[in-house]
Structure formats: C-alpha cells, structure tokens
Amino acid sequence: MKRNTMAAIGILGVSGLLLAGCSSTSDAATENVSESGELIIGGELVADAELFAQAQSEGTLTFYTGGSEVSEQQAAEAFTEATGITVEVVRLAPNKLNERILSEQAASQLAADVIRISGEDLIAGIAEAGTFTPTTLTDDISSALIPEAKYDDGLYYSSFDRVYSFGYNNQIIDEADAPKDWADLLDSKWAGQTGIVQVGAGGSTAALTRFQLDRLGEQWLVDYAATNPRIYDSSAALTDGLARGEISIGMTPIATAYSAVLDGAPITIATPTEGAAAYPFYIGQTESARNPAAAQVFMNWLLSTEGQTLAAELGDYPVREGIANPTIGDVELPAQDSDFVFRSTLEEALDNLGPDAEKWTEIFGYTG
C-alpha cells in the first residue's frame, strides 16, 4: 500500500444532535435468536436467553457518546437491526459530554445507560465519580479482546482506536499540489489557510499534540504555529469549515470524516509517512442504567466481531483479534502494529496531558 494514498470523504458538521434508532424488529434480529432464546450473532454468543429476554422487555437504551454523529448512528442502526432493541443516541463533543455526565451523576439524574468517550482524563474522572458498573461479557466476546482493551477489571473498556490525520479541500487544492505529509504543512504557501483544534477539546487533540511533540518534534509545532493557522473549538467545527472552504487544509480524525463520505463534502484525507495519532474511545455501562439488560447486550455487541468489523469499516482500529485493518472506502490503512500508528498508554497520556497542553497553549498563544 502507498502511504500517501488519499481517500475522499464527506463531512457532517452537526454537534449535540439527538438521534434515535429504528423501532421495528428486523428479520435479522429474529434469525439471530436460537431456539433456546440465546442471541447469537456471527456464531458468537452475545447474550444468554435470560439476559436477552430482559433486554427485549426493556426494548431500548440511551447511549451518550463523544463519537461522530454519523458513525454512532450507523452503529445504533446496525445494533437495532441485529437485536430489535432501539438506541437513543445523545452526542456531544467529549469535553461538553463530560460536563453533562458529571453534572447528571452528581444530581443522581444520569440518563445514560452506556457511555462512549475519548480522553484519558475524562474517562478516569467519570469512573472515579462512581458512574460505571462492571459489565459481564460473554466468554465468546471477552476471550477475543486484546489485553489492553480492559480497564479496572472490566469497569470500562476501549472500544476502538481512532486516528487523527489531516485533509484538504479538493475543490480549492489540486491533488498534484496537495500536502501529503506533516512536513508539507510548514510550506509558506499554506500560511493562513490551515486549521487545528485547540488542545483542550478532548482526548483526540491531546493525542494529536502528544504525537506532534514526540514524533514530529517541538520545533515542528513552533514552525506550524508560525503559519498562522485558524484555531477551532472542536473537530466537527473544523471539518465543517474545511468542507465549506473556510480553510484549505485542516487536521481531522479519519473516521469522523469518513463516516460522512456519502454526504459529499469535497475533502481528501492524507495518510502521511510520518504516521498519525491514535486515541481510544472508551465505553462503559452506567451503574444507574435504567435499561441494564439492554445496556449489557449493547456492550457485548459493540465488542463483538460484528460491532468491531463495523468500526474497522468506518476507519477505526478494532480491539479484537482477527479483525481486518481499517478501511476508508477501497483504501486499507496500515496495520495497527506498524510505525504509522502512534499510541500512548493511558498512564503516558495522563502524565503528559498537563505539560503538553501548557506547551501547546504557549506555542500558539491561545487564550480560549
């Protein structure tokens, strides 16, 4: 595979949107239930008969997520198709979602049954607030997870790794002239035409900053800041601005952009030779879940072969063994153990979070 292969992707620039899954029981859901009432999908036990019966009686669950609207709606619809259980999706940017979760948790009013969010500091704070309860995974699901996916004895899990790269508006920039690597962004011809998300937006931007400081070097970040990039509050806002032509080049998560490919935005995403930043999206079942059985089935499904294959098809790196590399249309991303993928452990991310944010703020002169 060529490292600089590009993938055209569309963008949906909406945040804080409430979405609901389909409500009717599908033929697929019926076919996935064994004669004894077990939920078996792709040959894997997702729920035993007692749990699935309870989940069906609940009929729905509420899913709080910091992921992209489009990709999370696709996951919700696929789950409903497979199980007949509907999913109400509440989406906010991770930092805003964290505020809502902690506020509702403190008031004993948390409406979420399952939470998915990025950011090591955010997930640690949510867990410390007593938000989660350990989820019982079936043996079929738990035995296939990579060891790094499980945290605090199953209190929460990593559900996939998302990758942060950059893209350009292909109606403004011809492919022959387009930047292909991070080093290309320092060219003076792009001065004032690029965009970046402020470091405090969430785990994605923290991971991007760590990658840039570690892999590209502090001087690269200094030189990039000197090109006078536009600073955005969220990746959704940046990607929307890139699609509209407010900027010509912008740093954006690959899967977030690709999930809206059919929306038709004129954006091409790079897979640079220097690599890209990977960051986990964590999931957990809430202790106060109003639909605990449906939540447990949803957690198992998200980590099942079907759920993880869908994540990979949307450009995310799975946390299960045996799943193919992520794809962006007909482009396959490099293997997750390749030099392309830059990861930090949870401990490394937490240790570097404060110093990296302070350095980024100083370099960009950012005051919020």
Side-chain angles (χ1 to χ4, degrees), residues 321-343:
E321 304 287 354
I323 307 296
N325 293 334
T327 54
I328 310 171
D330 59 357
V331 176
E332 182 178 337
L333 296 182
Q336 54 183 315
D337 60 355
S338 69
D339 289 339
F340 174 78
V341 182
F342 178 91
R343 288 186 180 86

Side-chain angles (χ1 to χ4, degrees), residues 66-67 94-95 116-123 201-205 279-282:
N95 54 346
R116 173 144 64 190
I117 195 169
S118 63
E120 284 69 23
D121 57 329
L122 303 187
I123 192 67
S204 61
T205 47
Y279 57 101
F281 263 90
Y282 303 97

Side-chain angles (χ1 to χ4, degrees), residues 40-318:
I40 300 175
I41 301 175
E44 291 180 328
L45 179 65
V46 176
D48 61 29
E50 181 180 0
L51 175 64
F52 189 52
Q54 292 174 350
Q56 286 180 304
S57 69
E58 293 168 356
T60 188
L61 66 101
T62 300
F63 181 36
Y64 279 17
T65 181
S68 69
E69 293 91 344
V70 176
S71 63
E72 295 294 41
Q73 181 61 30
Q74 288 175 304
E77 290 175 352
F79 174 74
T80 299
E81 177 72 14
T83 66
I85 299 168
T86 62
V87 183
E88 185 177 67
V89 182
V90 178
R91 193 274 167 187
L92 291 168
N95 54 346
K96 299 298 183 182
L97 182 63
N98 178 64
E99 294 173 3
R100 176 167 177 169
I101 291 168
L102 294 181
S103 176
E104 291 183 355
Q105 174 71 12
S108 300
Q109 296 293 324
L110 184 61
D113 296 303
V114 174
I115 292 169
R116 173 144 64 190
I117 195 169
S118 63
E120 284 69 23
D121 57 329
L122 303 187
I123 192 67
I126 292 169
E128 289 172 3
T131 305
F132 296 128
T133 189
T135 299
T136 301
L137 301 179
T138 70
D139 290 341
D140 287 354
I141 306 301
S142 62
S143 63
L145 294 179
I146 62 174
E148 296 82 4
K150 186 177 181 179
Y151 292 87
D152 289 354
D153 295 324
L155 191 64
Y156 59 95
Y157 293 83
S158 172
S159 58
F160 54 71
D161 278 350
R162 186 151 287 177
V163 184
Y164 215 124
S165 184
F166 66 88
Y168 67 90
N169 186 307
N170 54 50
Q171 290 185 344
I172 299 174
I173 300 175
D174 292 335
E175 182 178 356
D177 298 325
K180 295 176 173 58
D181 292 319
W182 294 100
D184 297 336
L185 301 187
L186 304 183
D187 194 312
S188 60
K189 69 181 179 181
W190 305 127
Q193 298 185 49
T194 75
I196 188 172
V197 179
Q198 60 96 358
V199 69
S204 61
T205 47
L208 178 64
T209 301
R210 178 90 299 264
F211 162 77
Q212 289 170 339
L213 289 171
D214 187 284
R215 183 71 65 85
L216 306 179
E218 182 177 341
Q219 189 59 49
W220 182 93
L221 203 59
V222 171
D223 292 342
Y224 175 70
T227 68
N228 193 31
R230 180 167 179 171
I231 299 175
Y232 288 82
D233 287 333
S234 70
S235 58
L238 180 148
T239 316
D240 190 45
L242 179 59
R244 293 197 309 266
E246 289 178 359
I247 53 176
S248 301
I249 303 164
M251 300 178 195
T252 178
I254 290 177
T256 301
Y258 179 62
S259 66
V261 63
L262 296 180
D263 200 45
I267 296 175
T268 300
I269 291 293
T271 54
T273 58
E274 306 101 325
Y279 57 101
F281 263 90
Y282 303 97
I283 53 169
Q285 179 180 341
T286 64
E287 189 275 334
S288 59
R290 299 169 188 175
N291 304 288
Q296 186 173 332
V297 175
F298 188 47
M299 287 280 293
N300 272 275
W301 182 85
L302 287 170
L303 296 172
S304 71
T305 294
E306 183 172 85
Q308 290 289 289
T309 298
L310 176 61
E313 290 172 349
L314 294 173
D316 293 317
Y317 283 89

Side-chain angles (χ1 to χ4, degrees), residues 121 199 206 209-210 213 347-362:
D121 57 329
V199 69
T209 301
R210 178 90 299 264
L213 289 171
E347 292 75 17
E348 290 170 342
L350 289 174
D351 287 345
N352 287 297
L353 186 66
D356 283 357
E358 183 177 350
K359 184 167 294 185
W360 191 98
T361 302
E362 178 183 352

